[in-house]
Amino acid sequence: MQLALLVELMRDGGAPEDAHDRLQAEIDGMDELVGDLLAAARIDFEAVAPQDLDARDVARRAVEIARLPPETLAVTVSSPVRADPALLARALAVLLDNARRYGATTVRLGVET
């Protein structure tokens, strides 16, 4: 269902019971699409900015982007990594999302040396 239609139905009081959930799902989908497009544009325009990062922080951000619970992250040792923070977090989030959709029932992201 389109966003505009959902909003209009909500204004008129004729929205389905799950309208808020559907609206949030549409917003989440658009957010993912925008994130993917921005990441692709950064790569295409060579706007990659590698820097020294704390692997734990990047992994934590990836878990947030993937909308997974914090306990998804298992950190044994946090070592520095050199990468573009936005692109690495986005790439890890995509892997986490794929694991959730197509993998086993438990999704874990481990950070090790």
Side-chain angles (χ1 to χ4, degrees):
M1 197 175 275
Q2 291 185 335
L3 286 174
L5 178 59
L6 275 174
V7 170
E8 193 61 35
L9 287 171
M10 291 169 83
R11 282 190 183 134
D12 293 342
E17 210 171 281
D18 65 345
H20 288 97
D21 294 334
R22 291 167 129 182
L23 189 58
Q24 186 63 54
E26 291 286 335
I27 291 168
D28 291 346
M30 288 189 321
D31 186 47
E32 280 183 45
L33 179 61
V34 168
D36 291 345
L37 290 171
L38 288 173
R42 288 183 71 173
I43 293 168
D44 288 347
F45 292 107
E46 298 180 11
V48 178
Q51 47 190 282
D52 292 331
L53 306 168
D54 183 321
R56 176 182 304 158
D57 292 339
V58 175
R60 189 176 296 122
R61 179 68 184 128
V63 168
E64 289 172 5
I65 292 170
R67 293 179 184 85
L68 290 169
E71 55 272 9
T72 300
L73 184 60
V75 179
T76 55
V77 176
S78 184
S79 58
V81 61
R82 185 155 181 81
D84 182 292
L87 293 178
L88 181 56
R90 190 82 200 147
L92 290 172
V94 168
L95 290 173
L96 286 167
D97 188 52
N98 285 341
R100 179 181 54 213
R101 288 183 191 193
Y102 309 112
T105 55
T106 302
V107 176
R108 301 283 287 167
L109 175 60
V111 178
E112 299 177 12
T113 301

